[in-house]
Amino acid sequence: MKLVLAPMEGVVDFKMRQLLTNIGGFDLCVTEFVRVVDACLPDKVFYRFCPELSNNGLTSAGTPVRIQLLGQVAGALAENAVKAISLGSHGIDLNFGCPAKTVNKSKGGAVLLKDPEHMYEIIKAVRDAVDSKHQVSAKIRLGFDDDSNSQEIVDAVVSAGASSIAIHARTKRDGYNPPAYWEKIPPLIKDKDITVVANGEIWQVADAMLCQKRSGCTDLMLGRGALSHPDLAKKIKANINNEHYAGLEWEHILYHLINSAIHHDPAKDEKYFASRTKQWLGYLKRQYPQAITLFDEIRRLKAKEDVAEVLSKYAKAPQFDANHNA
């Protein structure tokens, strides 16, 4: 079983990947999308989206990171894929799932689901350009307005030679509204020789097990579930392997938050730490009701030192056993 940390624009950046992979359980991370128009981007763009390139494409915990590209021009995407691989990306991921209106208006992301033939051309161009020893994956949804052409979409990905496909089991119209239709995946991938990763609405260990059962997929991708439940990947792995893992308590989560470099960025202004902390609390409140109280406590704070002082009052270092289990 492999667990992949999903790309989430504006949320799962370098520092969040570092924090979550340090907690453990993930086998691969995918970056926020790098937008490609019609030219080869300079190296600095790839390093900005994926600072892990300076560490052989690995997070500080040793988890491989794969750069995701978004665009509509097959040749330009292929050229940038080769560049990303040369810089150290662990494969290439292609975005056909982003539902953002601004992205779709520029003919990128989920809007390409309307045109499986165009998807095929993009994936084929990238696959042909990138050495076969490197993975080329695609992230899709079941469709745009509905799932009437979902089989065509999957067939296009497979026939273009992609190494794997991550299926967010909702349409673009569905957005992020529950449920995720995991049961629609098996007919799409029947007799297909490709690795399939199921994605969508995995918030708890029980969701992961049910997703595996209904989707027929061994591998899973975690997005919002990992943000609300930072050790979810580790809990899932422990469950699969019949290992003991008690899990992190609220005070342990805060310890990881303030002792990582996640919010400290010299390039950002003084308010960055506070705004980023409040953003994450919005996700954490689903798993930890204490996040609501903490948000109220820091709501009006803007200075980094003031927010850190409040967090430190509640943070506590987790105690690990010989197997590094909390």
Side-chain angles (χ1 to χ4, degrees), residues 33 93 121:
F33 65 76
D93 190 66
E121 293 171 357

Coordinates of all heavy atoms in Angstrom, one line a residue, residues 33 93 121:
F33 N 0.6 22.8 -8.4 CA 0.8 22.8 -9.8 C 1.7 24.0 -10.2 O 1.6 25.1 -9.7 CB -0.5 22.8 -10.6 CG -1.3 24.0 -10.5 CD1 -1.0 25.2 -11.1 CD2 -2.5 24.0 -9.8 CE1 -1.8 26.3 -11.0 CE2 -3.3 25.1 -9.7 CZ -3.0 26.3 -10.3
D93 N 3.9 14.7 -12.6 CA 2.4 14.5 -12.5 C 1.7 15.6 -13.3 O 2.2 16.8 -13.4 CB 1.9 14.7 -11.0 CG 0.5 14.3 -10.9 OD1 0.2 13.1 -11.1 OD2 -0.3 15.2 -10.5
E121 N -3.0 13.7 -26.0 CA -1.8 14.3 -26.7 C -0.8 14.9 -25.7 O 0.4 14.7 -25.9 CB -2.4 15.5 -27.6 CG -3.2 15.0 -28.8 CD -3.9 16.1 -29.5 OE1 -3.7 17.3 -29.1 OE2 -4.5 15.9 -30.5

